[in-house]
Amino acid sequence: MSTPLLSVEQLTVSAPGAAERVRIIDGIGLAVSPGETLALVGESGCGKSMTALAIMRLVSPPLRIHAGSRVLFEGRDILALPATEMRTVRGAQMAMIFQEPMTSLNPVTRVGAQVQEAITLHSDVSPFAARMQVIDLFEMVGIPDPHKRIDAYPHQLSGGLKQRVMIAMAMALKPRLLIADEPTTALDATIRAQILDLIRNLTANTGTAVLLITHDFGVVNELADRVAVMYAGQIVEEGTREDLLARPKHPYAQGLLKSIPRAEQRGGRLEEIQGVVPRPGQWPEGCRFHTRCPYVFDDCVFEPPARTIVSATQAARCHLLTGKALDPA
Ligand SMILES: Nc1ncnc2c1ncn2[C@@H]1O[C@H](COP(=O)(O)OP(=O)(O)O)[C@@H](O)[C@H]1O
Ligand code: SF4
Ligand SMILES: [Mg+2]
């Protein structure tokens, strides 16, 4: 088997709590192969962004990445790298785009200069050559009149254009992995479709792998090769797009899938799953989903379900898959 580009093992992050430290993500495991798009899905508050930040090692005190966590990038544990080496990995090897382009761009610097700086920081090109690269990149991400737009300030651009600038900046160094955290959530439906198309084309053309974070199964349907479903700091199901869309096994994944067409109209609220995601520190005993699960039974309340292999490509964390519900003896 080929080495995955990114392999995350037992990734755990905690924050200080009232009495003891509280886990925000808890033993996350996932893998992304070169060129592949893995969608990380779950409602708001499940720990998706924290997972992305921890992978990029953008977690700072009082938050802590626990010992035993591993983030292998091309086989190397980047959690063990010195900070200077990590800075090279970040940007040149793996880059991230965020939900809110407004907050990630510097409001007082022209957008072209910001992308240019990202290039000159990591490579030995002249300012002129870097500027030419920025124009090419702007063209590649579909920014009209790139010669003019490079001299615009962020506030002079629409939300969709700003997100394109962020994507250009992320792609500037041809990273092997792009982490996109809800890249279309702040955008309207038409622009959203254009940005998804752009990400699809870029990755097809460059071979860049993508970890795509979303609360929206519609986005999964459009872009993902494989899917990991997250709930209360854990991965509760993983499989191919086909596995998750055609035969999700975990009741939470089933609920997310059922709420695709309606969630948007309800501002992301899920019709099919009652209640809300429990906050860190308030995760229930046993199965963390048991307070909301329509299939809950005795074992669920006391015993955390193990990860059960369903097929060569699919696994889920639910007692229903171990046959216990059918055989209560
Ligand atoms: N710096 C922090 N300190 C304490 N709790 C945090 C911090 N950042 C996020 N959280 C909490 O961790 C949970 C997961 O957050 P996040 O990763 O942003 O979820 P998602 O991206 O899935 O919406 C949320 O309940 C959030 O309030
Ligand atoms: S383990 Fe029980 S509560 Fe958890 S998802 Fe499965 S059936 Fe529902
Ligand atoms: Mg988030």
Side-chain angles (χ1 to χ4, degrees):
M1 258 177 63
S2 66
T3 318
L5 179 66
L6 174 75
S7 174
V8 175
E9 297 167 11
Q10 289 298 327
L11 182 59
T12 300
V13 175
S14 66
E20 50 190 18
R21 292 189 73 83
V22 164
R23 289 177 179 216
I24 296 179
I25 56 170
D26 188 16
I28 297 294
L30 43 86
V32 186
S33 300
E36 177 180 64
T37 295
L38 174 72
L40 184 59
V41 209
E43 289 161 281
S44 186
C46 285
K48 305 181 299 296
S49 294
M50 190 57 69
T51 302
L53 292 171
I55 291 171
M56 293 287 286
R57 239 175 88 179
L58 292 172
V59 167
S60 47
L63 295 180
R64 195 166 72 208
I65 300 180
H66 284 213
S69 305
R70 303 221 302 163
V71 177
L72 303 172
F73 189 78
E74 294 181 321
R76 217 165 44 141
D77 188 358
I78 58 173
L79 296 182
L81 288 181
T84 45
E85 261 183 77
M86 186 59 214
R87 244 171 271 144
T88 316
V89 171
R90 210 185 292 130
Q93 314 271 358
M94 46 204 266
M96 185 159 171
I97 50 178
F98 299 89
Q99 175 175 339
E100 276 295 338
M102 301 55 174
T103 54
S104 342
L105 286 169
N106 181 343
V108 298
T109 308
R110 297 175 199 273
V111 291
Q114 297 189 47
V115 181
Q116 189 175 325
E117 193 190 322
I119 294 172
T120 48
L121 210 67
H122 285 275
S123 62
D124 220 1
V125 295
S126 69
F128 178 77
R131 190 175 165 88
M132 291 300 113
Q133 276 185 35
V134 176
I135 293 172
D136 286 348
L137 280 163
F138 275 24
E139 206 143 30
M140 181 175 88
V141 299
I143 296 176
D145 292 327
H147 293 85
K148 279 193 211 143
R149 289 279 164 54
I150 54 170
D151 290 323
Y153 289 95
H155 71 90
Q156 296 172 313
L157 301 179
S158 66
L161 282 182
K162 277 195 280 255
Q163 194 54 293
R164 283 172 198 265
V165 170
M166 289 309 300
I167 295 172
M169 183 152 15
M171 297 302 289
L173 301 155
K174 304 188 180 68
R176 307 262 287 133
L177 176 72
L178 176 68
I179 300 182
D181 189 356
E182 312 249 14
T184 59
T185 302
L187 307 172
D188 70 42
T190 319
I191 309 293
R192 170 180 166 275
Q194 290 172 3
I195 296 285
L196 292 180
D197 268 349
L198 170 62
I199 294 175
R200 187 189 298 112
N201 291 336
L202 280 179
T203 54
N205 295 337
T206 58
T208 299
V210 184
L211 177 61
L212 177 74
I213 296 179
T214 178
H215 62 266
D216 181 349
F217 249 81
V219 173
V220 170
N221 188 22
E222 290 187 48
L223 280 190
D225 298 309
R226 282 191 313 115
V227 186
V229 180
M230 199 163 172
Y231 188 78
Q234 283 182 322
I235 305 291
V236 295
E237 178 157 2
E238 74 237 35
T240 62
R241 172 178 59 178
E242 168 80 6
D243 290 333
L244 266 295
L245 292 178
R247 43 184 177 276
K249 296 294 183 200
H250 196 284
Y252 181 60
Q254 292 168 356
L256 285 179
L257 184 64
K258 278 196 206 135
S259 52
I260 293 180
R262 267 160 281 170
E264 260 182 27
Q265 294 155 17
R266 293 170 195 279
R269 269 191 40 238
L270 302 178
E271 173 78 344
E272 300 296 334
I273 311 174
Q274 304 295 319
V276 293
V277 180
R279 299 174 54 80
Q282 298 172 5
W283 294 334
E285 295 290 301
C287 171
R288 292 177 193 174
F289 188 55
H290 87 250
T291 48
R292 304 174 72 191
C293 180
Y295 305 104
V296 59
F297 63 105
D298 291 356
D299 280 4
C300 310
V301 179
F302 304 108
E303 213 178 301
R307 180 173 172 275
T308 304
I309 308 283
V310 178
S311 75
T313 53
Q314 194 173 8
R317 221 177 254 281
C318 170
H319 286 310
L320 291 174
L321 301 170
T322 59
K324 276 190 168 175
L326 306 174
D327 179 15

